[in-house]
Amino acid sequence: MSTDPLSEQQMDAMVAAVAAGEFTFDRGAPTPALPPKPDAEVMAVYSMRLPSDVAQRLAAVAKSKGVKPSTLMRQYVEWCLATEVNDRPISLTDALRALTQLRPAA
């Protein structure tokens, strides 16, 4: 069985066959086997919009680390979610937020 996409001519021929009643469906045909489950972890896809300056910074940092921007974003999300674990008197997120607002020493 080919997995190549159908050409326009093939699609037109199929449409004409269905319209002419020449296309049949065999309910007694065996059900094909399902494809195997993926070996790797299944990942969800999210789309996000970033300001262009943030996207440029992300691309530059990813390049300096030798990874794709999507990989770097996934790592950052995983790290930030890890800080949400409620096992500290102050969350790491709050600590980081406070530290980023401090002025540098003279």
Side-chain angles (χ1 to χ4, degrees), residues 42-94:
V42 177
M43 302 246 183
V45 177
Y46 283 86
S47 175
M48 92 171 43
R49 295 180 185 271
L50 297 173
S52 60
D53 63 319
V54 174
Q56 290 171 355
R57 288 172 41 211
L58 175 70
V61 172
K63 185 176 182 180
S64 74
K65 293 180 179 292
V67 297
K68 294 180 180 180
S70 59
T71 300
L72 185 62
M73 287 190 296
R74 183 173 50 251
Q75 290 173 349
Y76 284 171
V77 167
E78 289 172 352
W79 291 338
C80 286
L81 289 175
T83 67
E84 295 295 324
V85 176
N86 198 10
D87 64 347
R88 298 177 176 97
I90 178 173
S91 77
L92 188 52
T93 303
D94 292 337

Side-chain angles (χ1 to χ4, degrees), residues 97-104:
R97 189 177 301 121
L99 288 171
T100 59
Q101 295 182 10
L102 294 177
R103 289 182 286 173

